[in-house]
Amino acid sequence: MTQDQKQMFGEAVSQSRKALGMTQIACAKQCGVSIVSFQNWERGVCAPRDEKMQQICELLKLNREDFE
């Protein structure tokens, strides 16, 4: 994933999470990751691995293909 794609993904995750009324902590728990990892994904610092990306997209109703 390029840095631009990481940023796009992070922004989409943040917007969708907020629209669904979820906290970062709740999302991190449901995905089985630390809050720090989830925060880093939202900020575009890094990208999740394939399995976690799929979980996040399903949880937050995002289209994974938009970020590939």
Side-chain angles (χ1 to χ4, degrees):
M1 218 180 219
T2 67
Q3 189 57 42
D4 286 343
Q5 288 171 313
K6 289 177 193 174
Q7 289 290 340
M8 264 186 16
F9 177 72
E11 289 171 17
V13 167
S14 178
Q15 290 174 1
S16 183
R17 176 183 61 75
K18 290 173 185 175
L20 292 170
M22 298 179 77
T23 65
Q24 288 179 329
I25 293 170
C27 288
K29 282 184 181 180
Q30 287 191 33
C31 292
V33 298
S34 71
I35 184 65
V36 173
S37 291
F38 193 86
Q39 290 170 333
N40 284 337
W41 297 337
E42 270 200 9
R43 288 192 310 246
V45 173
C46 57
R49 293 183 185 188
D50 288 340
E51 180 182 310
K52 293 298 176 187
M53 180 172 248
Q54 185 64 38
Q55 278 185 302
I56 294 164
C57 288
E58 289 173 8
L59 176 66
L60 299 177
K61 299 172 179 39
L62 297 171
N63 184 355
R64 182 180 175 165
E65 294 173 1
D66 292 342
F67 309 106
E68 294 177 344

